[in-house]
Amino acid sequence: MHRRTLLAACLAAPLFPLLSRAQTDHSAQPDHAAMGHAMPAAPAAGASPRPPAGAPLAAWPTLGAQASLHATPGVLDWGNGLHSPSWGYNQPALGPLFDWQAGQPVRIDFANALPEASNVHWHGLDVPASEDGHPRDAVLAGGQRRYQFTVPDRAGLFWYHPHPHGRTAFQVAMGLAGPIRVRRHDEPLPVDGIDEQVLMVTDQRLLADGQIAPHSDADWMDGREGDLLLVNGQYQPVLSVQAGQWLRLRLINACAARYLTLSLPGHAWVQIGTDGGYLATALPPARILQLVPGQRADVLVALDAAPGSRVVLQSLPYARGKMVSAEQSQPEALLTVQYRPQAAVKRPHLPARLAEIQPLPAPAIRREVVLSETMRMDGGTHQMAFLINQRSYDDMDRADFTGRVGQVEEWTVHNRSDMDHPFHLHGAAFQIRWRQATGQRRQPEPWLGWHDVVNLRPGESLALRFVQRQAGDRLFHCHILEHEDQGMMATLRVVG
Ligand code: C2O
Ligand code: CU
Ligand code: CU
């Protein structure tokens, strides 16, 4: 049933009082304690203190395939006396960029210095299920483990983040996430004349004293958006560029719930890659680039503005059917692109073909996946439930589907709710076959690419195909982390 119908039916009179009270009144909040959330009293959502802006974009600390990764509490120093106790990998927040080669053996020694269980999920990489940060394989506080796998043969941009049961949203909000870049020996683009930057976008909300704001009740429904948009952990940094070159941005939306609608005024996006690597050919130039939580894009921008000029990379408002919080209403600045004064240089030609992508053949098995939300009365409190095929992820050992290694699957995913949900699958990249917006005809997907996250608008359905190459339990879930934590997640058990 649709949420607004339900809200109207079961909450009729108290609806608006309940929702407006929800930010401050503890008694009205859903019972997250039952799911293991420690729920501190939710503060009224005020504006975060602003960190100083305008520092040069810093280079990522970079690690290779043999490394140590320590999840650890730290203190973020924003400058101007603003400090935030936070969690990070090897640093106060976020983590190093892993730079790997396809086929390379990886050995990461993970130590968990956090006060609670955590693990590492290699988002988008089809590594063995035992190495992929399944919530069952959480590393207890103070514990350690080694992650070992071979880098899959897929050039692209991936990322890592914690995936413990019910605690992912909290841990990511505290700062845990980092990028992974995989290159192959046959990279299609020239090296000269292309300025490549990995940009991981996150958002944060701080209390007046700098502490990371705890989740509010509204956050648990809508997904948490912070009012500070950060690029590589920095607040409105400056990227200096050379006129005439290509700027290659490798973008990750690592926000828990914020949709990004990226615009660089006066410039166009030429998309050359998706979540799972290169497209066969570049897409036509576009003014807007949408990136939903979990998604990545590889884009080229022709730097054709005047030397010395500057332009602001921004995210335009997008309404995603939030239940409680206000929708985005104005553009948000992410980063300033500052052209150096030097005269424009010539940029290299791009190859016509970037990669070979074969459409996956007809499926051996078809399944239906339904995303839904319901609100129910539970012991006098209103509790939201976020479901997949009417079930909540409350059993880490349950198989919702059983599939076979090497078999082509076709899933039709339906969003039967009033909010957008970004659907994500572990263990394999998928190809989208068609999409059908509510009340519209089915549209075949116009181009072929590899994805591991795809957005579904309310009422939308779409079909995707994939093949799992290794046995094990693979999760699929909404990548709004609060929805994932509250049960909008399920298991595909792949058997040999
Ligand atoms: Cu990035 Cu299961 O997620
Ligand atoms: Cu993932
Ligand atoms: Cu969702």
Side-chain angles (χ1 to χ4, degrees):
M1 193 194 295
H2 281 182
R3 173 221 328 155
R4 289 198 176 92
T5 327
L6 242 169
L7 280 173
C10 75
L11 295 177
L15 170 59
F16 294 106
L18 166 79
L19 295 182
S20 54
R21 233 174 46 219
Q23 313 257 339
T24 46
D25 180 354
H26 220 81
S27 66
Q29 90 193 3
D31 181 20
H32 295 293
M35 305 199 47
H37 297 294
M39 290 282 293
S48 302
R50 300 273 125 179
L57 183 73
W60 280 100
T62 298
L63 291 178
Q66 321 272 306
S68 301
L69 197 64
H70 291 225
T72 175
V75 177
L76 255 171
D77 183 353
W78 301 93
N80 280 3
L82 184 63
H83 292 92
S84 304
S86 57
W87 293 356
Y89 294 109
N90 300 3
Q91 57 190 45
L94 301 182
L97 164 68
F98 284 115
D99 237 328
W100 294 342
Q101 289 288 327
Q104 198 176 20
V106 170
R107 199 194 63 216
I108 304 294
D109 285 310
F110 174 67
N112 180 10
L114 305 173
E116 62 182 60
S118 191
N119 60 3
V120 186
H121 168 56
W122 313 99
H123 179 129
L125 290 176
D126 41 335
V127 305
S130 61
E131 307 302 303
D132 202 23
H134 192 278
R136 235 178 356 228
D137 303 322
V139 177
L140 296 180
Q144 28 198 290
R145 72 156 282 170
R146 176 171 287 180
Y147 290 101
Q148 251 175 318
F149 50 85
T150 301
V151 180
D153 190 21
R154 184 185 282 287
L157 184 67
F158 309 96
W159 61 299
Y160 58 99
H161 62 77
H163 220 299
H165 189 46
R167 294 296 285 171
T168 300
F170 176 78
Q171 294 190 5
V172 171
M174 287 301 289
L176 294 167
I180 304 167
R181 175 170 50 195
V182 176
R183 289 199 175 94
R184 277 173 49 123
H185 56 91
D186 59 351
E187 286 292 321
L189 297 183
V191 173
D192 290 336
I194 300 186
D195 176 5
E196 179 179 331
Q197 302 288 337
V198 172
L199 301 185
M200 178 174 243
V201 180
T202 56
D203 57 356
Q204 191 53 278
R205 194 192 307 148
L206 304 178
L207 303 180
D209 65 357
Q211 283 191 74
I212 292 173
H215 277 72
S216 68
D217 294 340
D219 293 341
W220 286 114
M221 297 211 198
D222 295 328
R224 179 177 188 268
E225 289 184 26
D227 58 331
L228 297 178
L229 271 76
L230 307 174
V231 177
N232 301 354
Q234 291 180 270
Y235 181 63
Q236 298 182 357
V238 176
L239 171 64
S240 92
V241 298
Q242 166 61 50
Q245 283 194 325
W246 288 111
L247 176 60
R248 179 180 184 186
L249 295 182
R250 310 196 63 172
L251 297 151
I252 307 173
N253 183 347
C255 300
R258 177 180 285 273
Y259 282 47
L260 298 171
T261 307
L262 299 173
S263 153
L264 189 64
H267 296 72
W269 304 115
V270 176
Q271 188 166 5
I272 57 169
T274 50
D275 301 323
Y278 292 104
L279 293 162
T281 57
L283 297 185
R287 296 279 154 203
I288 289 292
L289 178 71
Q290 192 191 47
L291 216 53
V292 304
Q295 248 177 354
R296 287 87 66 213
D298 195 347
V299 293
L300 293 169
V301 177
L303 292 170
D304 286 336
S309 63
R310 52 168 52 200
V311 56
V312 175
L313 172 64
Q314 49 195 265
S315 182
L316 307 180
Y318 178 83
R320 56 180 180 83
K322 289 183 205 172
M323 288 183 262
V324 184
S325 337
E327 299 284 5
Q328 299 168 4
S329 60
Q330 52 203 22
E332 301 272 3
L334 284 168
L335 157 147
T336 299
V337 174
Q338 170 73 59
Y339 279 71
R340 291 192 284 267
Q342 283 83 359
V345 296
K346 253 177 80 91
R347 61 178 162 265
H349 285 289
L350 300 177
R353 285 203 84 71
L354 299 164
E356 287 306 317
I357 305 182
Q358 297 303 327
L360 288 171
I365 188 150
R366 291 175 191 269
R367 307 184 200 271
E368 303 283 318
V369 175
V370 176
L371 311 177
S372 66
E373 315 149 356
T374 59
M375 185 173 259
R376 57 171 188 264
M377 279 292 281
D378 219 357
T381 63
H382 295 95
Q383 176 150 10
M384 252 343 265
F386 295 92
L387 307 172
I388 293 186
N389 289 354
Q390 300 299 326
R391 296 216 267 196
S392 177
Y393 187 80
D394 49 17
D395 177 355
M396 291 189 278
D397 297 317
R398 179 180 78 213
D400 297 275
F401 294 141
T402 301
R404 290 202 159 275
V405 169
Q407 216 167 45
V408 178
E409 300 227 1
E410 182 168 310
W411 290 14
T412 307
V413 187
H414 309 274
N415 179 358
R416 302 226 172 103
S417 79
D418 292 335
M419 195 179 340
D420 286 43
H421 297 284
F423 176 84
H424 171 53
L425 172 69
H426 288 206
F430 51 77
Q431 295 177 350
I432 300 166
R433 303 278 303 165
W434 51 261
R435 307 191 200 217
Q436 186 166 25
T438 173
Q440 309 278 303
R441 282 164 189 276
R442 205 174 265 195
Q443 300 291 337
E445 189 73 352
W447 43 269
L448 211 50
W450 292 108
H451 305 263
D452 54 61
V453 177
V454 63
N455 189 50
L456 286 105
R457 300 281 293 163
E460 186 174 8
S461 297
L462 54 82
L464 48 88
R465 283 185 187 173
F466 63 87
V467 179
Q468 295 281 354
R469 303 270 174 212
Q470 303 178 68
D473 282 2
R474 300 298 189 171
L475 298 170
F476 52 99
H477 60 85
C478 174
H479 218 287
I480 289 180
L481 301 179
E482 289 75 15
H483 296 172
E484 171 194 329
D485 277 352
Q486 288 178 101
M488 199 177 241
M489 179 153 81
T491 299
L492 166 63
R493 180 159 296 158
V494 182
V495 297

